[in-house]
Amino acid sequence: MKFFILLLSVILSMSILDAVAQLPVNLNFNIQSASTSEQVLTVSNRIDTASLPVKIIKGKMDGPVFSIVAGIHGYEYPPIMAVQQIMAEIDPDKLKGTLLIVPVANTTAFFGRTVFYNPADGKNLNRVFPGKPDGTISERLAHLITIQIITRSTVFLDVHAGDAGEDLTDFVCYYDNKNTPEQTDLARRLAEGTGFPLLVTYPFNLAKTEPAEYAFKHATQQGITALSMEAGKLGGVQQRSVQQIKTGIYNILRELDMYASAGKPVPRPVILNRQHYLKSPEKGIFYSDLKSGDTVSKGQKIGMISDVFGKTIADINAEQAGIILYKIGTPPVNKGETILCIGYHCTAK
Ligand SMILES: [Zn+2]
């Protein structure tokens, strides 16, 4: 009998835990105009808990909701540091509309100093959107961001950098979603005005029911104007990239008529509407004298891979001419990994 009572209480407490885990955690979005609010949302399952810090800056006048998310990858610091400055600088009295800012989306990865993956469940948060309300902790966190942030956005911006092993040149990007021409046109206009030297456009051919995996791709799929910025590299905090992100955000705010800032006319970016991903044929140690931002021609030698004893096992040559957007910037390389991504322009439709 005692055993059954014990069993019953275990089952009961598990279902209570489950109920707690299912509780929706909502952002209190209705704050006074010309005010700010800092809130921390949480999601949990039986094993893990994740928190999502959100700062709401509500302007004096009504206007669009512009969401800025940093730290979906917790080891990409320039976006996180740029957003720190933005939060301190914006005066709600001068703002039209609402800024919804997530300063660090993946706090577990950030404080755990893990590259790409959430140490709690080993998942890449930017591969599980739109997330699941009853999934692993990363899937639940993605679902929380989807419901609380993305769906509220007029414009959604997800900011990234080159992670610890990635040598990356700064660029702004959006999906060329032909299904929503108005939103795509606004994304193009905002991206062109950011002041980033390179503008990358990705093709969009995702079915309505297919999981988008990436946060800003999901926003695009839902018909929201969405952009991403990539600035900074190799897990460092490059001040030039921090400033580039800030300038880009202020330029978007000005373009949306949300905030009057002393912006200056920006040069038109170089537009790269195609990407070529060069995959590693081997596992080993990668050598290359090239760096991100370099221009390469087709067939040009990129570098080589040796085994751990130093014997050359593969020569790496460019399969496509263009600009190196990012490449592996540290020695280890695994078979099948992207060694580098080349951006180029194609005039064909
Ligand atoms: Zn990232």
Side-chain angles (χ1 to χ4, degrees):
M1 186 64 185
K2 258 188 181 166
F3 171 76
F4 284 110
I5 292 170
L6 187 69
L7 187 68
L8 191 68
S9 64
V10 166
I11 290 170
L12 266 175
S13 64
M14 278 172 76
S15 58
I16 288 166
L17 267 176
D18 231 17
V20 169
Q22 297 297 327
L23 270 180
V25 187
N26 291 313
L27 197 64
N28 175 15
F29 194 61
N30 294 318
I31 64 165
Q32 279 195 333
S33 59
S35 74
T36 65
S37 169
E38 290 163 9
Q39 301 174 30
V40 179
L41 310 181
T42 56
V43 271
S44 43
N45 57 18
R46 280 193 205 126
I47 315 160
D48 304 299
T49 298
S51 58
L52 184 73
V54 184
K55 176 144 186 170
I56 306 173
I57 307 178
K58 194 163 184 177
K60 212 170 187 172
M61 294 155 286
D62 284 343
V65 177
F66 176 27
S67 301
I68 305 166
V69 176
I72 276 190
H73 289 136
Y75 214 109
E76 299 174 4
Y77 301 136
I80 293 167
M81 301 318 287
V83 159
Q84 289 296 312
Q85 295 183 28
I86 294 276
M87 287 191 300
E89 289 171 8
I90 295 283
D91 178 355
D93 276 328
K94 295 179 184 162
L95 180 70
K96 191 173 157 187
T98 304
L99 266 173
L100 210 46
I101 299 178
V102 177
V104 185
N106 196 340
T107 52
T108 317
F110 177 68
F111 290 109
R113 299 191 187 91
T114 54
V115 175
F116 295 125
Y117 303 101
N118 185 340
D121 60 5
K123 297 213 173 200
N124 182 336
L125 181 57
N126 212 25
R127 296 293 183 278
V128 296
F129 277 86
K132 291 178 193 163
D134 56 355
T136 70
I137 199 67
S138 292
E139 291 166 341
R140 287 179 195 228
L141 180 57
H143 181 256
L144 186 71
I145 294 169
T146 297
I147 300 298
Q148 301 296 330
I149 308 294
I150 294 177
T151 55
R152 284 195 164 97
S153 310
T154 318
V155 174
F156 178 78
L157 171 69
D158 185 18
V159 198
H160 289 255
D163 223 299
E166 287 179 314
D167 173 18
L168 176 144
T169 190
D170 299 355
F171 62 91
V172 60
C173 51
Y174 68 90
Y175 283 95
D176 187 16
N177 184 359
K178 310 260 191 234
N179 305 322
T180 56
E182 208 176 299
Q183 286 82 354
T184 303
D185 197 54
L186 178 58
R188 178 191 55 74
R189 196 155 57 80
L190 295 176
E192 282 180 357
T194 52
F196 272 75
L198 295 176
L199 165 54
V200 172
T201 69
Y202 299 113
F204 185 88
N205 34 37
L206 196 65
K208 275 210 169 82
T209 51
E210 219 176 324
E213 298 184 2
Y214 301 83
F216 92 111
K217 193 173 189 181
H218 174 72
T220 305
Q221 185 189 35
Q222 300 309 305
I224 293 162
T225 296
L227 299 96
S228 185
M229 291 172 180
E230 294 273 0
K233 58 187 169 183
L234 294 163
V237 182
Q238 293 82 12
Q239 286 308 321
R240 201 180 58 87
S241 296
V242 172
Q243 289 309 314
Q244 176 71 84
I245 293 166
K246 278 185 68 185
T247 303
I249 289 173
Y250 277 115
N251 283 337
I252 290 175
L253 281 165
R254 203 185 57 244
E255 192 69 32
L256 290 171
D257 198 23
M258 288 179 72
Y259 203 73
S261 57
K264 40 186 179 207
V266 296
R268 286 187 71 79
V270 172
I271 296 171
L272 305 168
N273 61 359
R274 295 283 193 282
Q275 299 79 38
H276 179 80
Y277 301 88
L278 184 64
K279 302 288 181 183
S280 177
E282 297 290 348
K283 177 179 186 171
I285 298 174
F286 176 53
Y287 294 83
S288 173
D289 293 332
L290 294 172
K291 54 187 190 310
S292 65
D294 283 349
T295 300
V296 293
S297 51
K298 191 175 177 178
Q300 182 180 335
K301 185 169 179 180
I302 300 288
M304 64 94 160
I305 297 172
S306 79
D307 65 15
V308 291
F309 296 106
K311 182 167 63 111
T312 301
I313 49 175
D315 285 317
I316 308 297
N317 300 310
E319 294 166 354
Q320 167 68 47
I323 295 172
I324 300 175
L325 293 176
Y326 50 87
K327 62 185 277 290
I328 288 181
T330 50
V333 64
N334 291 290
K335 191 172 180 174
E337 271 179 354
T338 297
I339 288 186
L340 79 165
C341 171
I342 290 175
Y344 61 104
H345 191 83
C346 177
T347 45
K349 287 268 170 191

